[in-house]
């Protein structure tokens, strides 16, 4: 469904992705692991056109999307929830959702509130008045109400208290249960292991490991190697 094929991405002259390939199939939740600076965020930005790859291809549902403007890629249903969340602090929760809603979205406000009961409780609160975890939920909710065909998430649990991390995990399990494919960048191995069908590990802009969640669990050597990195 999403296929990243040997992409090379740069910031000016700095060669950050040196041939990254990965794929996400329909209904899969795939995680991208790796230490700080490995290129995980850049991979997501390359997919959505914010850092266009200079070589290689990104295909979504069989069509080449690299080289298109980010808004065109988004319109085809590729949604990125960035690390810094990008919600409107001066608008209420409900206004944030209504602004993001797309006509004929399969997601209505009621569906969003069913998945995120906390957001319903806070619907009249301003974005600025939300906790970090609630802001993260709102960012994911905004992406959903825009009716994506695939969701890319950049470290959604970073800096959150364990009880909120568990709630985000529950939400992501529900999203996976609905069949929406997800590519998740995540440092928290426990979160990855609860959710993922497959993992990729990036190191210095290259994929150094990929395999099923089962294979990853059963292979202490690769697990230790990854754990030693993070
Ligand atoms: P993190 O968890 O810290 O976000 P990451 O794996 O997502 O790590 P990237 O943010 O993709 O890593 O960064 C990959 C490399 O690109 C790093 O060496 C980083 O310093 C560099 N980099 C990231 N953003 C920029 C930028 N805007 N300009 C120049 N270099 C950048």
């Amino acid at each position: 469904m999403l296929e990243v094929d040997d992409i090379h991405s740069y910031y000016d002259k700095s060669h950050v992705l040196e041939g990254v390939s990965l794929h996400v199939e329909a209904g899969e939740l795939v995680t991208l692991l790796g230490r700080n600076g490995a290129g995980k965020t850049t991979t997501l930005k390359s997919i959505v056109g914010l850092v266009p790859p200079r070589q290689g291809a990104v295909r979504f549902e069989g069509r080449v999307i690299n080289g298109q403007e980010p808004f065109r890629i988004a319109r085809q249903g590729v949604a990125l929830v960035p690390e810094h969340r990008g919600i409107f602090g001066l608008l209420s929760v409900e206004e944030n959702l209504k602004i993001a809603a797309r006509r004929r979205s399969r997601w209505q406000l009621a569906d969003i509130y069913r998945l995120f009961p906390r957001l319903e409780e806070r619907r009249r609160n301003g974005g600025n008045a939300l906790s970090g975890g609630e802001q993260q939920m709102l960012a994911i909710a905004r992406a959903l109400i825009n009716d994506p065909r695939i969701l890319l998430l950049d470290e959604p649990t970073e800096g959150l208290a364990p009880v909120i991390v568990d709630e985000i995990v529950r939400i992501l399990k529900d999203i996976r249960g609905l069949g929406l494919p997800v590519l998740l960048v995540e440092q928290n191995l426990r979160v990855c292991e609860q959710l993922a069908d497959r993992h990729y590990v990036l190191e210095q802009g290259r994929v150094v490991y990929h395999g099923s969640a089962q294979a990853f669990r059963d292979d202490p050597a690769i697990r230790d190697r990854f754990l030693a990195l993070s």
Side-chain angles (χ1 to χ4, degrees):
M1 160 158 231
L2 174 71
E3 190 191 357
V4 173
D5 184 6
D6 196 25
I7 59 170
H8 291 252
S9 296
Y10 296 71
Y11 293 103
D12 194 15
K13 291 200 175 85
S14 161
H15 191 174
V16 171
L17 299 187
E18 302 186 7
V20 169
S21 298
L22 59 85
H23 63 98
V24 181
E25 300 305 328
E28 265 192 324
L29 193 150
V30 172
T31 58
L32 193 51
L33 305 159
R35 69 171 134 185
N36 289 341
K40 305 179 299 296
T41 299
T42 306
T43 302
L44 298 185
K45 287 183 172 170
S46 297
I47 293 169
V48 300
L50 293 171
V51 179
R54 291 195 200 162
Q55 277 180 59
V58 181
R59 286 181 277 272
F60 181 59
E61 296 184 328
R63 288 188 302 270
V64 172
I65 57 171
N66 58 291
Q68 298 183 18
E69 294 288 333
F71 80 92
R72 287 196 191 284
I73 295 175
R75 211 183 264 167
Q76 289 167 63
V78 182
L80 171 64
V81 180
E83 215 171 343
H84 297 298
R85 296 168 192 159
I87 62 174
F88 297 109
L90 296 177
L91 299 184
S92 72
V93 165
E94 194 147 303
E95 286 164 341
N96 265 280
L97 290 169
K98 283 183 172 164
I99 280 188
R102 195 193 285 220
R103 245 183 295 160
R104 291 196 293 269
S105 170
R106 83 199 80 174
W107 291 86
Q108 303 301 317
L109 265 180
D111 305 315
I112 295 290
Y113 288 148
R114 207 170 304 126
L115 190 58
F116 301 88
R118 239 169 214 273
L119 292 183
E120 183 162 28
E121 288 163 24
R122 299 272 192 274
R123 53 204 273 253
R124 301 201 194 289
N125 284 71
N128 280 337
L130 302 178
S131 70
E134 290 161 354
Q135 288 186 8
Q136 184 62 59
M137 288 175 205
L138 181 55
I140 298 171
R142 276 174 49 93
L144 288 177
I145 207 165
N146 195 31
D147 210 11
R149 301 178 62 75
I150 187 167
L151 200 54
L152 315 183
L153 295 164
D154 199 354
E155 302 207 28
T157 70
E158 199 195 9
L160 302 181
V163 47
I164 306 293
V165 170
D166 290 343
E167 191 158 351
I168 302 272
V169 167
R170 192 267 306 159
I171 289 162
L172 295 181
K173 276 185 181 160
D174 286 355
I175 290 173
R176 191 189 51 185
L178 294 168
L180 184 65
V182 176
L183 178 58
L184 171 67
V185 164
E186 183 56 70
Q187 300 267 7
N188 183 331
L189 194 59
R190 194 178 62 84
V191 167
C192 293
E193 291 193 327
Q194 286 183 75
L195 288 168
D197 298 299
R198 291 188 296 115
H199 303 293
Y200 289 86
V201 180
L202 271 190
E203 234 177 72
Q204 297 183 344
R206 295 165 197 252
V207 174
V208 292
Y209 174 83
H210 66 104
S212 69
Q214 181 75 42
F216 191 78
R217 252 195 307 273
D218 294 347
D219 187 343
I222 189 72
R223 238 171 146 265
D224 287 353
R225 181 173 171 197
F226 173 67
L227 286 169
L229 284 176
S230 55

